[in-house]
Amino acid sequence: MKIIKCLVCLIFFVAAFAAGCFIFAPRDEAGKLALAYARLAASRQGYYATYEDFSGSGIFNPSYRITGLDVEGPAAKITFSDARATIYPLSSLVSRSARMRLQFGETGVLLMTNNSLSLKSGTMDISAKENLVSVTNALVEGDVRLSGDIAFDIGARAITESTATIRVPPLVDAALGARAAAPYVEQISRGEWRIKKNAR
């Protein structure tokens, strides 16, 4: 269950960042305001973020790079060595939702059980409209492999749609087999799980 909370934490933080970038004009200073907005929104949900450096580039499709980003919550601490968010203002206006693409490099996940996981890379397309956050074309590689699409209702704190599957190491596999994780995942095969829709 903790690994599911970690994934939801990641999705929530990025969604808050995307929404902030949609609200504010896509420029360097506005990007910093959007990041501050995302950190505030995340803190209200019990997740606290710090970072080492922030920079922006581009005009039509601005890209924001964050290094040394730590996101810490009740279940885990996630450390991104390098993360980049590319915003698509025109597509956002046409669809009336905030749209962006997230890419990140080496990332560490420290669970509160003092177990650690390492992610090599990740990419995903994200759209956010009101309380609904949709993640499509997700691909995360490393100790945990995530692929597929997932939609999350922030207000209800529920997964509303999901085709996402995850492959996990034996330690996490055993944890996902516990009764507490049953509302969130269903097993496909040993070490491979499907994230359920309508999970809360």
Side-chain angles (χ1 to χ4, degrees), residues 29-188:
E29 291 304 316
K32 292 178 181 178
L33 287 174
L35 181 57
Y37 171 86
R39 293 177 66 194
L40 178 60
S43 69
R44 289 173 177 166
Q45 299 294 323
Y47 297 98
Y48 302 93
T50 59
Y51 62 94
E52 293 178 0
D53 189 46
F54 176 88
S55 60
S57 62
I59 297 175
F60 297 106
N61 291 324
S63 180
Y64 297 98
R65 182 186 180 195
I66 309 172
T67 58
L69 173 64
D70 285 338
V71 182
E72 187 167 1
K77 179 180 180 181
I78 305 174
T79 301
F80 299 88
S81 60
D82 184 277
R84 184 181 298 273
T86 302
I87 313 299
Y88 301 108
L90 182 59
S91 177
S92 296
L93 288 172
V94 171
S95 64
R96 296 183 180 179
S97 62
R99 292 184 176 271
M100 64 177 289
R101 183 170 182 81
L102 172 71
Q103 299 170 286
F104 58 86
E106 186 176 350
T107 300
V109 179
L110 178 63
L111 302 176
M112 292 303 111
T113 54
N114 289 325
N115 292 305
S116 61
L117 301 169
S118 177
L119 306 179
K120 294 179 181 178
S121 63
T123 60
M124 60 190 72
D125 295 314
I126 298 172
S127 63
K129 185 175 183 180
E130 297 178 348
N131 283 333
L132 186 64
V133 179
S134 297
V135 177
T136 56
N137 305 315
L139 181 60
V140 176
E141 300 280 2
D143 290 341
V144 174
R145 186 182 191 277
L146 167 72
S147 61
D149 304 337
I150 189 168
F152 184 74
D153 188 321
I154 296 175
R157 295 189 179 186
I159 296 170
T160 57
E161 295 291 338
S162 175
T163 63
T165 60
I166 54 174
R167 284 188 173 275
V168 295
L171 182 65
V172 177
D173 189 44
L176 292 180
R179 181 176 298 179
Y184 301 93
V185 293
E186 57 187 356
Q187 191 168 28
I188 300 172

